[in-house]
Amino acid sequence: MGEFAMWGGPPEPQPTPPSALIFVRWLSRARGPELTGASAPPEVVWNFRLATPALEWAISSIGYHSLRRHTEALKPAITTGAFEEAARSLQSICSTSYPAQISQAIDLLVERFSAGNKLLVCGNGGSAADAMHICAELVGRFFKERRALPAIALNTDPTVLTAWSNDYAYESVFARQVEALAKPGDIVWGISTSGNSKNVVAALKTARERGASTIALTGQGGGAMAEYADVLLAVPLSVTPRVQEAHAVTYHIICEAVEAALCKTLADAGGSK
């Protein structure tokens, strides 16, 4: 009878957790002589090292499945905990002055869009994605059928970004575009979790010089962007993922409210969309 016959044959090979293999190999190679004694006969050390494949097989066929079952059991709790933490963070914002700051941004955008002005938005990384998201909601639609609103994300043209950054400096890549596109009455909306992204700070500073209004969407305190913000949306949180989650809720609130206000204005004026 074969070695595995009573068990129905050898188990299917499974990927071994890298951390387990590292431990086994470290134990056999780095610690082998120490565990068996410096003066141990060579065959003792050799037998110790010979056990490595068996240990690896045990981890692969038993430890792997045990670890996987343990991880699978933890997933619901981890997921639920993440949602609960995010919910607590958002709930904590309700008792601060932050909602009133959002109202200021809504009023400014409604006023300027009604007057025919445009919005320029910029950010880096995840904030760049947020800038594009905002513009998509405004140029397209959020809930209601209505006219398109002029909103441009300054981080979407790779030729401008790479050419200017290569020839001059990335720190001024948004400010240069603000210089080209912003007019008095327009709005420049900068996004930075820390509030200290140099190219976003420069964009807001240039906007002020061009006679445009500014909105800064940041984390706690506002960072360097606070100095150049007509409306400061400084989420009163310090953990980056929680700040970014609050940013998404913030601009969804703004886009919905701006759309509703402008649709009402059009309806009052007898317009259709």
Side-chain angles (χ1 to χ4, degrees):
M1 180 179 288
E3 182 181 358
F4 297 101
M6 66 181 294
W7 304 107
E12 290 294 324
Q14 297 290 342
T16 303
S19 56
L21 285 181
I22 290 169
F23 171 73
V24 170
R25 288 166 182 161
W26 169 81
L27 188 65
S28 65
R29 295 171 187 169
R31 304 286 292 179
E34 179 183 330
L35 293 174
T36 55
S39 60
E43 63 271 15
V44 174
V45 177
W46 171 250
N47 288 337
F48 183 86
R49 290 180 173 171
L50 193 61
T52 299
L55 287 171
E56 292 183 5
W57 176 86
I59 291 170
S60 297
S61 60
I62 300 172
Y64 171 81
H65 294 293
S66 176
L67 178 63
R68 183 173 181 180
R69 284 194 299 271
H70 182 66
T71 304
E72 290 294 332
L74 286 176
K75 278 182 179 179
I78 293 171
T79 302
T80 301
F83 275 114
E84 290 174 345
E85 182 182 353
R88 284 193 297 270
S89 295
L90 292 174
Q91 185 65 41
S92 71
I93 294 173
C94 296
S95 59
T96 69
S97 62
Y98 188 73
Q101 297 166 1
I102 294 176
S103 295
Q104 294 176 22
I106 293 168
D107 291 342
L108 178 62
L109 286 161
V110 170
E111 174 193 329
R112 299 301 169 83
F113 279 140
S114 297
N117 298 112
K118 64 180 174 292
L119 171 67
L120 306 176
V121 195
C122 62
N124 300 287
S127 296
D130 288 333
M132 293 188 290
H133 191 161
I134 291 167
C135 294
E137 303 287 18
L138 296 173
V139 172
R141 63 189 290 267
F142 196 81
F143 278 131
K144 299 178 180 294
E145 294 294 331
R146 39 86 176 168
R147 66 179 174 87
L149 298 174
I152 303 169
L154 301 181
N155 42 260
T156 56
D157 188 336
T159 55
V160 172
L161 296 176
T162 55
W164 187 262
S165 299
N166 182 67
D167 295 344
Y168 293 91
Y170 187 61
E171 291 181 6
S172 58
V173 72
F174 296 141
R176 182 65 171 182
Q177 294 178 76
V178 169
E179 181 184 340
L181 300 172
K183 296 179 179 179
D186 289 341
I187 300 174
V188 175
W189 183 345
I191 310 172
S192 169
T193 304
S194 67
N196 295 317
S197 297
K198 292 181 179 180
N199 53 7
V200 181
V201 174
L204 297 184
K205 183 175 183 294
T206 300
R208 282 273 186 89
E209 295 168 353
R210 301 282 297 173
S213 296
T214 56
I215 297 173
L217 182 58
T218 73
Q220 193 166 31
M225 290 168 61
E227 180 181 351
Y228 302 103
D230 295 318
V231 177
L232 176 62
L233 302 175
V235 174
L237 300 171
S238 57
V239 178
T240 298
R242 303 290 86 83
V243 173
Q244 292 173 335
E245 289 156 4
H247 280 185
V249 175
T250 296
Y251 61 72
H252 273 171
I253 292 170
I254 291 172
C255 290
E256 181 177 2
V258 168
E259 180 180 76
L262 291 175
C263 284
K264 184 178 185 303
T265 300
L266 288 170
D268 292 343
S272 57
K273 288 185 181 180

